[in-house]
């Protein structure tokens, strides 16, 4: 058993309470590689922001659970090396799919876990979440749960259509499970194709897709039922057009990729939404930089040559999200 406290990590409790009060959201960035981790830490230190570094089941499979755990420990030391005296870094399991996975993460130094029972019937979701909460709280680890199903693919969780969270269920769910935060479904979804073209309108001048607005009425109703309770938004990449254009210009093929407009996330961050998950945007920034680099330097083959601009592009993206969208800068 390794406690996250020994690794210099923190759980989400105080961080979320402060964010809800302060009307901003904590960035939750997924990572799979060293370059992503470095860029996240550099961005958080430069902006003096707390940060959640999250690891999916797929990331654990790709990079190896032990390596990712030590990378998070390294992230704390790296932040100190960069001049941050008291980094606030959370290591979080994203979309945990079983009690066993959550337990294994808690036992190996995670400070926060998500148990995603959103595809289960309401009662089974409560039962599984409660089991994870009971174990996690013994170790002062915080737990994110999910109610309502996002459209698209949630790791192993498949949903044919979006099922918004039912506000009338949230009090019973939060009370019975004891979870520390709740991910809700208000129209976001995972990946770079969040909406089908037929769900959007098209800008007459540019031909670009304009997505439908998020269901802020559902968010408001949830907030009313659970005042001050930390709410989480998954699937919150904005799919920056500049990166999509760069990818397409240099040989990629991402037609009609569309995300959540940043002004909607800004609005959400000012409410009880205190954690916003972003993964796809970092993938797009990285891919755009690498494609551009290869197109301009076909003779290069040293990974450091193309991963340096990729890391820079991700850092720039993270700083933009922190300062211009979530508002978590200067909150350490
Ligand atoms: O919610 C999904 C995250 O973007 C993680 O995706 O399972 O491909 O690592 P992944
Ligand atoms: P995006 O695919 O919109 O980046 O969402 C990431 C996410 O929700 C991770 O859990
Ligand atoms: Zn997610």
């Amino acid at each position: 058993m390794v406690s996250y406290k020994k690794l210099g990590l923190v759980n989400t409790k105080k961080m979320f309470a402060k964010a809800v009060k302060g009307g901003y959201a904590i960035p939750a960035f997924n990572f799979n590689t060293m370059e992503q981790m470095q860029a996240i830490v550099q961005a958080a230190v430069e902006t003096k922001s707390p940060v959640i570094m999250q690891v999916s089941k797929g990331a654990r499979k790709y990079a190896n659970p032990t390596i990712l755990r030590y990378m998070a420990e390294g992230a704390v030391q790296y932040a100190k090396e960069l001049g941050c005296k008291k980094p606030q870094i959370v290591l979080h399991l994203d979309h945990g799919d079983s009690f066993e996975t959550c337990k294994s993460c808690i036992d190996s130094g995670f400070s926060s876990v998500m148990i995603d029972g959103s595809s289960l019937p309401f009662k089974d979701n409560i039962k599984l979440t409660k089991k994870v909460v009971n174990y996690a709280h013994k170790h002062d680890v915080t737990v994110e749960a999910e109610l309502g199903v996002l459209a698209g693919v949630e790791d192993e969780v498949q949903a044919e259509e979006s099922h918004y969270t039912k506000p009338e269920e949230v009090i019973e769910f939060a009370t019975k499970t004891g979870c520390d935060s709740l991910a809700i479904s208000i129209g976001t979804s995972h990946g770079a194709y969040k909406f089908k073209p037929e769900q959007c309108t098209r800008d007459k001048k540019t031909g670009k897709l304009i997505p439908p607005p998020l269901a802020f009425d559902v968010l408001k109703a949830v907030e009313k039922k659970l005042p001050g309770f930390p709410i989480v938004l998954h699937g919150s990449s904005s799919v920056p057009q500049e990166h999509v254009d760069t990818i397409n210009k240099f040989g990629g093929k991402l037609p009609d990729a569309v995300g959540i407009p940043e002004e909607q996330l800004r609005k959400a961050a000012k409410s009880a939404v205190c954690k916003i998950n972003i993964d796809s945007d970092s993938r797009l920034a990285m891919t755009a930089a690498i494609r551009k680099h290869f197109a301009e330097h076909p003779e290069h083959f040293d990974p450091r040559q193309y991963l340096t601009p990729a890391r820079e592009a991700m850092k720039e993206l993270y700083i933009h999200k922190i300062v211009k969208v979530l508002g978590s800068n200067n909150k350490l």
Side-chain angles (χ1 to χ4, degrees), residues 260-324:
I260 310 296
E262 286 184 341
E263 65 268 19
Q264 297 204 30
L265 297 171
R266 240 172 252 129
K267 183 174 166 188
K270 292 197 174 99
S271 71
V273 169
C274 64
K275 172 176 182 267
I276 292 193
N277 286 12
I278 296 168
D279 186 1
S280 299
D281 283 355
S282 150
R283 297 176 180 190
L284 291 165
M286 185 181 211
T287 303
I290 292 174
R291 278 196 179 277
K292 182 168 183 282
H293 188 89
F294 277 140
E296 291 169 353
H297 305 280
E299 73 286 7
H300 281 177
F301 64 94
D302 178 343
R304 290 170 298 188
Q305 290 170 316
Y306 53 89
L307 290 176
T308 300
R311 189 170 57 195
E312 267 311 301
M314 289 189 286
K315 179 184 168 187
E316 205 179 292
L317 174 107
Y318 295 138
I319 290 179
H320 170 80
K321 297 286 174 186
I322 289 171
V323 177
K324 303 280 183 207

Side-chain angles (χ1 to χ4, degrees), residues 94-95 114 146 150 154 190 234-235 277:
D94 191 23
H95 294 284
M114 174 188 192
E146 180 164 344
L150 271 66
E154 293 204 357
H190 292 111
H234 281 247
N277 286 12

Side-chain angles (χ1 to χ4, degrees), residues 185-237:
S185 169
I186 58 166
T188 61
S189 72
H190 292 111
Y193 293 89
K194 299 198 185 297
F195 304 98
K196 296 186 191 111
E198 54 270 28
Q199 293 174 290
C200 304
T201 47
R202 221 175 253 283
D203 185 289
K204 282 199 185 103
K205 265 193 198 151
T206 60
K208 304 290 180 204
L209 294 175
I210 304 167
L214 297 179
F216 279 100
D217 53 330
V218 174
L219 174 59
K220 268 220 174 93
V222 169
E223 280 189 77
K224 215 171 161 192
K225 297 272 182 196
L226 294 174
F229 194 81
I231 300 298
V232 178
L233 279 194
H234 281 247
S236 297
S237 277

